[in-house]
Amino acid sequence: MNNSFFRSWKFKNVLSLFILSFLFIQVSPSDAKDVRIGVIDIQKAVSSTKEWKKEFNSFKAKFEKEKKSILVKEGQLKKKIQGFKKQSMVISPELKNKKEEGLMKQKREFERYVQDKNEEFAKQEKEITSKILKKMVVIIKKLGKSKNFTMILEKKVSIYFDESLDLTSLATRTYDKNK
């Protein structure tokens, strides 16, 4: 069987629902009244924090600046290529090959640069989110304990829940207070 299936989000959702169903089957009706379950949209909770917004705005500004720089470099490279195409009919084959190789090298270097920058920005975005997510998980655990929840589930694994069980905005407010 394919291991990627076991690591997939769908499998985790199915497994979570199975475990939750099993827990409810095991709980007798007299115990069920003590079970308190909350739900949270962890992605929304994290992206709604003041810290995430501040860091993301800074990240976005750097990204936009780099994007403009890349567009300028791309425009310069395109002009060189167009200029070469115009010249290619009147220059010697040796010079044509030499210039063509030089332009191809510049194009590969540019493409590599763009790829490196994309990877760098993806890594930075992941680091920002991961750092705040770790702090948010601590906040959610504290909320769960202080509000006497039996468990708090990710909203995405829930088929149905009463909106009053949604702790997303409470988690964000608590996170912002602790900063």
Side-chain angles (χ1 to χ4, degrees), residues 143-164:
L143 277 174
K145 193 171 252 186
S146 71
K147 302 282 186 187
N148 296 319
F149 281 95
T150 307
M151 69 176 71
I152 298 176
L153 300 173
E154 167 62 46
K155 214 174 189 181
K156 293 174 185 159
V157 300
S158 305
I159 295 172
Y160 169 79
F161 61 90
D162 185 320
E163 288 296 321
S164 68

mmCIF file with all atom_site columns, all heavy atoms in Angstrom, residues 143-164:
data_model
loop_
_atom_site.group_PDB
_atom_site.id
_atom_site.type_symbol
_atom_site.label_atom_id
_atom_site.label_alt_id
_atom_site.label_comp_id
_atom_site.label_asym_id
_atom_site.label_entity_id
_atom_site.label_seq_id
_atom_site.pdbx_PDB_ins_code
_atom_site.Cartn_x
_atom_site.Cartn_y
_atom_site.Cartn_z
_atom_site.occupancy
_atom_site.B_iso_or_equiv
_atom_site.pdbx_formal_charge
_atom_site.auth_seq_id
_atom_site.auth_comp_id
_atom_site.auth_asym_id
_atom_site.auth_atom_id
_atom_site.pdbx_PDB_model_num
ATOM 1   N N   . LEU A 1 143 ? -6.463  27.157 26.596 1.00 0.00 ? 143 LEU A N   1
ATOM 2   C CA  . LEU A 1 143 ? -7.904  27.448 26.528 1.00 0.00 ? 143 LEU A CA  1
ATOM 3   C C   . LEU A 1 143 ? -8.715  26.192 26.809 1.00 0.00 ? 143 LEU A C   1
ATOM 4   O O   . LEU A 1 143 ? -9.702  26.231 27.539 1.00 0.00 ? 143 LEU A O   1
ATOM 5   C CB  . LEU A 1 143 ? -8.279  27.991 25.143 1.00 0.00 ? 143 LEU A CB  1
ATOM 6   C CG  . LEU A 1 143 ? -8.072  29.462 24.889 1.00 0.00 ? 143 LEU A CG  1
ATOM 7   C CD1 . LEU A 1 143 ? -8.355  29.793 23.432 1.00 0.00 ? 143 LEU A CD1 1
ATOM 8   C CD2 . LEU A 1 143 ? -8.961  30.299 25.793 1.00 0.00 ? 143 LEU A CD2 1
ATOM 9   N N   . GLY A 1 144 ? -8.317  25.102 26.204 1.00 0.00 ? 144 GLY A N   1
ATOM 10  C CA  . GLY A 1 144 ? -9.028  23.843 26.404 1.00 0.00 ? 144 GLY A CA  1
ATOM 11  C C   . GLY A 1 144 ? -9.057  23.437 27.864 1.00 0.00 ? 144 GLY A C   1
ATOM 12  O O   . GLY A 1 144 ? -10.094 23.029 28.394 1.00 0.00 ? 144 GLY A O   1
ATOM 13  N N   . LYS A 1 145 ? -7.920  23.582 28.501 1.00 0.00 ? 145 LYS A N   1
ATOM 14  C CA  . LYS A 1 145 ? -7.825  23.211 29.916 1.00 0.00 ? 145 LYS A CA  1
ATOM 15  C C   . LYS A 1 145 ? -8.637  24.165 30.790 1.00 0.00 ? 145 LYS A C   1
ATOM 16  O O   . LYS A 1 145 ? -9.409  23.739 31.654 1.00 0.00 ? 145 LYS A O   1
ATOM 17  C CB  . LYS A 1 145 ? -6.357  23.213 30.344 1.00 0.00 ? 145 LYS A CB  1
ATOM 18  C CG  . LYS A 1 145 ? -6.111  22.560 31.674 1.00 0.00 ? 145 LYS A CG  1
ATOM 19  C CD  . LYS A 1 145 ? -4.627  22.400 31.911 1.00 0.00 ? 145 LYS A CD  1
ATOM 20  C CE  . LYS A 1 145 ? -4.342  20.921 31.764 1.00 0.00 ? 145 LYS A CE  1
ATOM 21  N NZ  . LYS A 1 145 ? -3.001  20.535 32.086 1.00 0.00 ? 145 LYS A NZ  1
ATOM 22  N N   . SER A 1 146 ? -8.488  25.475 30.551 1.00 0.00 ? 146 SER A N   1
ATOM 23  C CA  . SER A 1 146 ? -9.177  26.458 31.395 1.00 0.00 ? 146 SER A CA  1
ATOM 24  C C   . SER A 1 146 ? -10.696 26.450 31.193 1.00 0.00 ? 146 SER A C   1
ATOM 25  O O   . SER A 1 146 ? -11.447 26.777 32.108 1.00 0.00 ? 146 SER A O   1
ATOM 26  C CB  . SER A 1 146 ? -8.625  27.861 31.146 1.00 0.00 ? 146 SER A CB  1
ATOM 27  O OG  . SER A 1 146 ? -9.008  28.339 29.880 1.00 0.00 ? 146 SER A OG  1
ATOM 28  N N   . LYS A 1 147 ? -11.153 26.088 29.997 1.00 0.00 ? 147 LYS A N   1
ATOM 29  C CA  . LYS A 1 147 ? -12.589 26.066 29.708 1.00 0.00 ? 147 LYS A CA  1
ATOM 30  C C   . LYS A 1 147 ? -13.183 24.653 29.855 1.00 0.00 ? 147 LYS A C   1
ATOM 31  O O   . LYS A 1 147 ? -14.326 24.423 29.469 1.00 0.00 ? 147 LYS A O   1
ATOM 32  C CB  . LYS A 1 147 ? -12.859 26.576 28.281 1.00 0.00 ? 147 LYS A CB  1
ATOM 33  C CG  . LYS A 1 147 ? -12.353 27.966 28.012 1.00 0.00 ? 147 LYS A CG  1
ATOM 34  C CD  . LYS A 1 147 ? -13.253 29.000 28.586 1.00 0.00 ? 147 LYS A CD  1
ATOM 35  C CE  . LYS A 1 147 ? -12.775 30.387 28.170 1.00 0.00 ? 147 LYS A CE  1
ATOM 36  N NZ  . LYS A 1 147 ? -13.500 31.435 28.822 1.00 0.00 ? 147 LYS A NZ  1
ATOM 37  N N   . ASN A 1 148 ? -12.380 23.732 30.356 1.00 0.00 ? 148 ASN A N   1
ATOM 38  C CA  . ASN A 1 148 ? -12.817 22.353 30.615 1.00 0.00 ? 148 ASN A CA  1
ATOM 39  C C   . ASN A 1 148 ? -13.332 21.624 29.375 1.00 0.00 ? 148 ASN A C   1
ATOM 40  O O   . ASN A 1 148 ? -14.344 20.928 29.421 1.00 0.00 ? 148 ASN A O   1
ATOM 41  C CB  . ASN A 1 148 ? -13.887 22.320 31.717 1.00 0.00 ? 148 ASN A CB  1
ATOM 42  C CG  . ASN A 1 148 ? -13.339 22.805 33.033 1.00 0.00 ? 148 ASN A CG  1
ATOM 43  O OD1 . ASN A 1 148 ? -12.211 22.470 33.401 1.00 0.00 ? 148 ASN A OD1 1
ATOM 44  N ND2 . ASN A 1 148 ? -14.118 23.613 33.735 1.00 0.00 ? 148 ASN A ND2 1
ATOM 45  N N   . PHE A 1 149 ? -12.629 21.775 28.264 1.00 0.00 ? 149 PHE A N   1
ATOM 46  C CA  . PHE A 1 149 ? -12.980 21.021 27.063 1.00 0.00 ? 149 PHE A CA  1
ATOM 47  C C   . PHE A 1 149 ? -12.344 19.643 27.137 1.00 0.00 ? 149 PHE A C   1
ATOM 48  O O   . PHE A 1 149 ? -11.206 19.501 27.588 1.00 0.00 ? 149 PHE A O   1
ATOM 49  C CB  . PHE A 1 149 ? -12.510 21.740 25.793 1.00 0.00 ? 149 PHE A CB  1
ATOM 50  C CG  . PHE A 1 149 ? -13.408 22.858 25.374 1.00 0.00 ? 149 PHE A CG  1
ATOM 51  C CD1 . PHE A 1 149 ? -13.155 24.159 25.757 1.00 0.00 ? 149 PHE A CD1 1
ATOM 52  C CD2 . PHE A 1 149 ? -14.535 22.596 24.601 1.00 0.00 ? 149 PHE A CD2 1
ATOM 53  C CE1 . PHE A 1 149 ? -13.991 25.193 25.375 1.00 0.00 ? 149 PHE A CE1 1
ATOM 54  C CE2 . PHE A 1 149 ? -15.384 23.627 24.209 1.00 0.00 ? 149 PHE A CE2 1
ATOM 55  C CZ  . PHE A 1 149 ? -15.106 24.929 24.600 1.00 0.00 ? 149 PHE A CZ  1
ATOM 56  N N   . THR A 1 150 ? -13.076 18.645 26.699 1.00 0.00 ? 150 THR A N   1
ATOM 57  C CA  . THR A 1 150 ? -12.533 17.293 26.624 1.00 0.00 ? 150 THR A CA  1
ATOM 58  C C   . THR A 1 150 ? -11.552 17.213 25.467 1.00 0.00 ? 150 THR A C   1
ATOM 59  O O   . THR A 1 150 ? -10.503 16.585 25.576 1.00 0.00 ? 150 THR A O   1
ATOM 60  C CB  . THR A 1 150 ? -13.674 16.270 26.408 1.00 0.00 ? 150 THR A CB  1
ATOM 61  O OG1 . THR A 1 150 ? -14.660 16.478 27.426 1.00 0.00 ? 150 THR A OG1 1
ATOM 62  C CG2 . THR A 1 150 ? -13.160 14.850 26.463 1.00 0.00 ? 150 THR A CG2 1
ATOM 63  N N   . MET A 1 151 ? -11.918 17.850 24.363 1.00 0.00 ? 151 MET A N   1
ATOM 64  C CA  . MET A 1 151 ? -11.028 17.910 23.202 1.00 0.00 ? 151 MET A CA  1
ATOM 65  C C   . MET A 1 151 ? -11.406 19.100 22.330 1.00 0.00 ? 151 MET A C   1
ATOM 66  O O   . MET A 1 151 ? -12.534 19.579 22.371 1.00 0.00 ? 151 MET A O   1
ATOM 67  C CB  . MET A 1 151 ? -11.068 16.606 22.401 1.00 0.00 ? 151 MET A CB  1
ATOM 68  C CG  . MET A 1 151 ? -12.368 16.338 21.677 1.00 0.00 ? 151 MET A CG  1
ATOM 69  S SD  . MET A 1 151 ? -12.334 14.852 20.672 1.00 0.00 ? 151 MET A SD  1
ATOM 70  C CE  . MET A 1 151 ? -12.324 13.588 21.905 1.00 0.00 ? 151 MET A CE  1
ATOM 71  N N   . ILE A 1 152 ? -10.411 19.541 21.565 1.00 0.00 ? 152 ILE A N   1
ATOM 72  C CA  . ILE A 1 152 ? -10.625 20.602 20.582 1.00 0.00 ? 152 ILE A CA  1
ATOM 73  C C   . ILE A 1 152 ? -10.157 20.047 19.246 1.00 0.00 ? 152 ILE A C   1
ATOM 74  O O   . ILE A 1 152 ? -9.021  19.608 19.117 1.00 0.00 ? 152 ILE A O   1
ATOM 75  C CB  . ILE A 1 152 ? -9.857  21.882 20.950 1.00 0.00 ? 152 ILE A CB  1
ATOM 76  C CG1 . ILE A 1 152 ? -10.368 22.432 22.294 1.00 0.00 ? 152 ILE A CG1 1
ATOM 77  C CG2 . ILE A 1 152 ? -10.016 22.927 19.841 1.00 0.00 ? 152 ILE A CG2 1
ATOM 78  C CD1 . ILE A 1 152 ? -9.605  23.645 22.803 1.00 0.00 ? 152 ILE A CD1 1
ATOM 79  N N   . LEU A 1 153 ? -11.063 20.081 18.280 1.00 0.00 ? 153 LEU A N   1
ATOM 80  C CA  . LEU A 1 153 ? -10.777 19.520 16.956 1.00 0.00 ? 153 LEU A CA  1
ATOM 81  C C   . LEU A 1 153 ? -10.586 20.624 15.922 1.00 0.00 ? 153 LEU A C   1
ATOM 82  O O   . LEU A 1 153 ? -11.161 21.710 16.057 1.00 0.00 ? 153 LEU A O   1
ATOM 83  C CB  . LEU A 1 153 ? -11.938 18.634 16.495 1.00 0.00 ? 153 LEU A CB  1
ATOM 84  C CG  . LEU A 1 153 ? -12.287 17.440 17.365 1.00 0.00 ? 153 LEU A CG  1
ATOM 85  C CD1 . LEU A 1 153 ? -13.554 16.784 16.859 1.00 0.00 ? 153 LEU A CD1 1
ATOM 86  C CD2 . LEU A 1 153 ? -11.137 16.462 17.371 1.00 0.00 ? 153 LEU A CD2 1
ATOM 87  N N   . GLU A 1 154 ? -9.824  20.301 14.899 1.00 0.00 ? 154 GLU A N   1
ATOM 88  C CA  . GLU A 1 154 ? -9.690  21.195 13.754 1.00 0.00 ? 154 GLU A CA  1
ATOM 89  C C   . GLU A 1 154 ? -11.042 21.225 13.044 1.00 0.00 ? 154 GLU A C   1
ATOM 90  O O   . GLU A 1 154 ? -11.654 20.180 12.823 1.00 0.00 ? 154 GLU A O   1
ATOM 91  C CB  . GLU A 1 154 ? -8.580  20.690 12.821 1.00 0.00 ? 154 GLU A CB  1
ATOM 92  C CG  . GLU A 1 154 ? -8.544  21.327 11.464 1.00 0.00 ? 154 GLU A CG  1
ATOM 93  C CD  . GLU A 1 154 ? -8.278  22.832 11.466 1.00 0.00 ? 154 GLU A CD  1
ATOM 94  O OE1 . GLU A 1 154 ? -7.374  23.285 12.181 1.00 0.00 ? 154 GLU A OE1 1
ATOM 95  O OE2 . GLU A 1 154 ? -8.993  23.540 10.741 1.00 0.00 ? 154 GLU A OE2 1
ATOM 96  N N   . LYS A 1 155 ? -11.491 22.382 12.703 1.00 0.00 ? 155 LYS A N   1
ATOM 97  C CA  . LYS A 1 155 ? -12.793 22.573 12.062 1.00 0.00 ? 155 LYS A CA  1
ATOM 98  C C   . LYS A 1 155 ? -12.952 21.718 10.801 1.00 0.00 ? 155 LYS A C   1
ATOM 99  O O   . LYS A 1 155 ? -14.034 21.227 10.501 1.00 0.00 ? 155 LYS A O   1
ATOM 100 C CB  . LYS A 1 155 ? -12.924 24.056 11.687 1.00 0.00 ? 155 LYS A CB  1
ATOM 101 C CG  . LYS A 1 155 ? -14.282 24.625 11.768 1.00 0.00 ? 155 LYS A CG  1
ATOM 102 C CD  . LYS A 1 155 ? -14.194 26.134 11.496 1.00 0.00 ? 155 LYS A CD  1
ATOM 103 C CE  . LYS A 1 155 ? -15.509 26.800 11.769 1.00 0.00 ? 155 LYS A CE  1
ATOM 104 N NZ  . LYS A 1 155 ? -15.475 28.231 11.493 1.00 0.00 ? 155 LYS A NZ  1
ATOM 105 N N   . LYS A 1 156 ? -11.862 21.518 10.073 1.00 0.00 ? 156 LYS A N   1
ATOM 106 C CA  . LYS A 1 156 ? -11.916 20.790 8.810  1.00 0.00 ? 156 LYS A CA  1
ATOM 107 C C   . LYS A 1 156 ? -12.275 19.317 8.978  1.00 0.00 ? 156 LYS A C   1
ATOM 108 O O   . LYS A 1 156 ? -12.714 18.695 8.024  1.00 0.00 ? 156 LYS A O   1
ATOM 109 C CB  . LYS A 1 156 ? -10.586 20.914 8.076  1.00 0.00 ? 156 LYS A CB  1
ATOM 110 C CG  . LYS A 1 156 ? -10.312 22.321 7.616  1.00 0.00 ? 156 LYS A CG  1
ATOM 111 C CD  . LYS A 1 156 ? -8.932  22.462 7.027  1.00 0.00 ? 156 LYS A CD  1
ATOM 112 C CE  . LYS A 1 156 ? -8.687  23.932 6.703  1.00 0.00 ? 156 LYS A CE  1
ATOM 113 N NZ  . LYS A 1 156 ? -7.284  24.232 6.591  1.00 0.00 ? 156 LYS A NZ  1
ATOM 114 N N   . VAL A 1 157 ? -12.071 18.753 10.166 1.00 0.00 ? 157 VAL A N   1
ATOM 115 C CA  . VAL A 1 157 ? -12.407 17.333 10.359 1.00 0.00 ? 157 VAL A CA  1
ATOM 116 C C   . VAL A 1 157 ? -13.836 17.151 10.865 1.00 0.00 ? 157 VAL A C   1
ATOM 117 O O   . VAL A 1 157 ? -14.282 16.034 11.040 1.00 0.00 ? 157 VAL A O   1
ATOM 118 C CB  . VAL A 1 157 ? -11.418 16.601 11.302 1.00 0.00 ? 157 VAL A CB  1
ATOM 119 C CG1 . VAL A 1 157 ? -10.018 16.636 10.764 1.00 0.00 ? 157 VAL A CG1 1
ATOM 120 C CG2 . VAL A 1 157 ? -11.493 17.132 12.707 1.00 0.00 ? 157 VAL A CG2 1
ATOM 121 N N   . SER A 1 158 ? -14.517 18.249 11.084 1.00 0.00 ? 158 SER A N   1
ATOM 122 C CA  . SER A 1 158 ? -15.882 18.183 11.602 1.00 0.00 ? 158 SER A CA  1
ATOM 123 C C   . SER A 1 158 ? -16.886 18.208 10.459 1.00 0.00 ? 158 SER A C   1
ATOM 124 O O   . SER A 1 158 ? -16.786 19.018 9.551  1.00 0.00 ? 158 SER A O   1
ATOM 125 C CB  . SER A 1 158 ? -16.149 19.377 12.516 1.00 0.00 ? 158 SER A CB  1
ATOM 126 O OG  . SER A 1 158 ? -15.195 19.441 13.536 1.00 0.00 ? 158 SER A OG  1
ATOM 127 N N   . ILE A 1 159 ? -17.830 17.326 10.533 1.00 0.00 ? 159 ILE A N   1
ATOM 128 C CA  . ILE A 1 159 ? -18.897 17.331 9.535  1.00 0.00 ? 159 ILE A CA  1
ATOM 129 C C   . ILE A 1 159 ? -19.951 18.355 9.933  1.00 0.00 ? 159 ILE A C   1
ATOM 130 O O   . ILE A 1 159 ? -20.442 19.109 9.112  1.00 0.00 ? 159 ILE A O   1
ATOM 131 C CB  . ILE A 1 159 ? -19.523 15.924 9.420  1.00 0.00 ? 159 ILE A CB  1
ATOM 132 C CG1 . ILE A 1 159 ? -18.471 14.952 8.877  1.00 0.00 ? 159 ILE A CG1 1
ATOM 133 C CG2 . ILE A 1 159 ? -20.754 15.953 8.518  1.00 0.00 ? 159 ILE A CG2 1
ATOM 134 C CD1 . ILE A 1 159 ? -18.896 13.510 8.898  1.00 0.00 ? 159 ILE A CD1 1
ATOM 135 N N   . TYR A 1 160 ? -20.265 18.377 11.209 1.00 0.00 ? 160 TYR A N   1
ATOM 136 C CA  . TYR A 1 160 ? -21.239 19.340 11.722 1.00 0.00 ? 160 TYR A CA  1
ATOM 137 C C   . TYR A 1 160 ? -20.835 19.713 13.141 1.00 0.00 ? 160 TYR A C   1
ATOM 138 O O   . TYR A 1 160 ? -20.337 18.897 13.901 1.00 0.00 ? 160 TYR A O   1
ATOM 139 C CB  . TYR A 1 160 ? -22.654 18.764 11.746 1.00 0.00 ? 160 TYR A CB  1
ATOM 140 C CG  . TYR A 1 160 ? -23.600 19.660 12.518 1.00 0.00 ? 160 TYR A CG  1
ATOM 141 C CD1 . TYR A 1 160 ? -24.127 20.800 11.940 1.00 0.00 ? 160 TYR A CD1 1
ATOM 142 C CD2 . TYR A 1 160 ? -23.901 19.405 13.856 1.00 0.00 ? 160 TYR A CD2 1
ATOM 143 C CE1 . TYR A 1 160 ? -24.949 21.656 12.650 1.00 0.00 ? 160 TYR A CE1 1
ATOM 144 C CE2 . TYR A 1 160 ? -24.724 20.247 14.581 1.00 0.00 ? 160 TYR A CE2 1
ATOM 145 C CZ  . TYR A 1 160 ? -25.243 21.386 13.969 1.00 0.00 ? 160 TYR A CZ  1
ATOM 146 O OH  . TYR A 1 160 ? -26.033 22.235 14.678 1.00 0.00 ? 160 TYR A OH  1
ATOM 147 N N   . PHE A 1 161 ? -21.072 20.972 13.493 1.00 0.00 ? 161 PHE A N   1
ATOM 148 C CA  . PHE A 1 161 ? -20.897 21.421 14.870 1.00 0.00 ? 161 PHE A CA  1
ATOM 149 C C   . PHE A 1 161 ? -21.706 22.687 15.067 1.00 0.00 ? 161 PHE A C   1
ATOM 150 O O   . PHE A 1 161 ? -21.967 23.429 14.127 1.00 0.00 ? 161 PHE A O   1
ATOM 151 C CB  . PHE A 1 161 ? -19.418 21.665 15.216 1.00 0.00 ? 161 PHE A CB  1
ATOM 152 C CG  . PHE A 1 161 ? -18.791 22.726 14.372 1.00 0.00 ? 161 PHE A CG  1
ATOM 153 C CD1 . PHE A 1 161 ? -18.804 24.054 14.761 1.00 0.00 ? 161 PHE A CD1 1
ATOM 154 C CD2 . PHE A 1 161 ? -18.169 22.395 13.183 1.00 0.00 ? 161 PHE A CD2 1
ATOM 155 C CE1 . PHE A 1 161 ? -18.223 25.033 13.973 1.00 0.00 ? 161 PHE A CE1 1
ATOM 156 C CE2 . PHE A 1 161 ? -17.588 23.366 12.390 1.00 0.00 ? 161 PHE A CE2 1
ATOM 157 C CZ  . PHE A 1 161 ? -17.615 24.682 12.786 1.00 0.00 ? 161 PHE A CZ  1
ATOM 158 N N   . ASP A 1 162 ? -22.119 22.920 16.268 1.00 0.00 ? 162 ASP A N   1
ATOM 159 C CA  . ASP A 1 162 ? -22.823 24.142 16.639 1.00 0.00 ? 162 ASP A CA  1
ATOM 160 C C   . ASP A 1 162 ? -21.788 25.266 16.637 1.00 0.00 ? 162 ASP A C   1
ATOM 161 O O   . ASP A 1 162 ? -20.692 25.118 17.193 1.00 0.00 ? 162 ASP A O   1
ATOM 162 C CB  . ASP A 1 162 ? -23.427 23.963 18.038 1.00 0.00 ? 162 ASP A CB  1
ATOM 163 C CG  . ASP A 1 162 ? -24.278 25.137 18.456 1.00 0.00 ? 162 ASP A CG  1
ATOM 164 O OD1 . ASP A 1 162 ? -23.888 26.294 18.171 1.00 0.00 ? 162 ASP A OD1 1
ATOM 165 O OD2 . ASP A 1 162 ? -25.329 24.909 19.075 1.00 0.00 ? 162 ASP A OD2 1
ATOM 166 N N   . GLU A 1 163 ? -22.108 26.385 16.029 1.00 0.00 ? 163 GLU A N   1
ATOM 167 C CA  . GLU A 1 163 ? -21.170 27.505 15.913 1.00 0.00 ? 163 GLU A CA  1
ATOM 168 C C   . GLU A 1 163 ? -20.696 28.013 17.276 1.00 0.00 ? 163 GLU A C   1
ATOM 169 O O   . GLU A 1 163 ? -19.633 28.620 17.383 1.00 0.00 ? 163 GLU A O   1
ATOM 170 C CB  . GLU A 1 163 ? -21.791 28.657 15.112 1.00 0.00 ? 163 GLU A CB  1
ATOM 171 C CG  . GLU A 1 163 ? -21.932 28.373 13.624 1.00 0.00 ? 163 GLU A CG  1
ATOM 172 C CD  . GLU A 1 163 ? -20.605 28.173 12.912 1.00 0.00 ? 163 GLU A CD  1
ATOM 173 O OE1 . GLU A 1 163 ? -19.619 28.872 13.215 1.00 0.00 ? 163 GLU A OE1 1
ATOM 174 O OE2 . GLU A 1 163 ? -20.553 27.287 12.038 1.00 0.00 ? 163 GLU A OE2 1
ATOM 175 N N   . SER A 1 164 ? -21.477 27.762 18.315 1.00 0.00 ? 164 SER A N   1
ATOM 176 C CA  . SER A 1 164 ? -21.064 28.219 19.645 1.00 0.00 ? 164 SER A CA  1
ATOM 177 C C   . SER A 1 164 ? -19.833 27.458 20.141 1.00 0.00 ? 164 SER A C   1
ATOM 178 O O   . SER A 1 164 ? -19.187 27.878 21.098 1.00 0.00 ? 164 SER A O   1
ATOM 179 C CB  . SER A 1 164 ? -22.217 28.066 20.647 1.00 0.00 ? 164 SER A CB  1
ATOM 180 O OG  . SER A 1 164 ? -22.493 26.696 20.874 1.00 0.00 ? 164 SER A OG  1
#
